[in-house]
Amino acid sequence: MDLVFMSIGGVTYTESWEEALAENATEFADKVAAIAERYNCGIEIDYEESSAPMLAELETFIKRYRVHHPFEAVANPSPPSFLTLDFGQG
């Protein structure tokens, strides 16, 4: 299976991630899940805040995303069921 990921964020967008998470992590997850569905792709959370990440808000985001696209531990999972997280910088 070929799989494409859409990466959301990056080191220069850490503040944007924090703004979106602080404003409404649930609504943000709903929008990201809709993008994954529309483009049939996995999502990489590229939130490169390694010193003080907003873990509670990220957990809210991930749980809400999983409402739309549950993890699929099967032989041929749907692309939107793939969700990765990158905290690393550089």
Side-chain angles (χ1 to χ4, degrees):
M1 164 173 67
D2 292 330
L3 181 63
V4 172
F5 277 81
M6 182 177 294
S7 180
I8 300 175
V11 71
T12 57
Y13 296 98
T14 300
E15 288 180 16
S16 298
W17 254 102
E18 291 182 339
E19 183 180 329
L21 290 173
E23 186 174 313
N24 192 331
T26 300
E27 183 179 326
F28 184 39
D30 290 341
K31 291 177 180 180
V32 171
I35 289 169
E37 183 73 26
R38 178 176 178 159
Y39 294 103
N40 196 35
C41 64
I43 297 293
E44 178 199 24
I45 300 171
D46 197 359
Y47 173 52
E48 297 190 17
E49 174 53 66
S50 57
S51 60
M54 298 173 70
L55 297 178
E57 293 83 353
L58 275 172
E59 183 176 10
T60 298
F61 175 94
I62 292 167
K63 285 181 177 181
R64 182 61 181 192
Y65 183 91
R66 288 294 182 213
V67 167
H68 298 284
H69 302 295
F71 173 72
E72 297 177 15
V74 295
N76 192 20
S78 69
S81 76
F82 286 88
L83 181 66
T84 65
L85 177 59
D86 177 7
F87 278 120
Q89 293 178 343

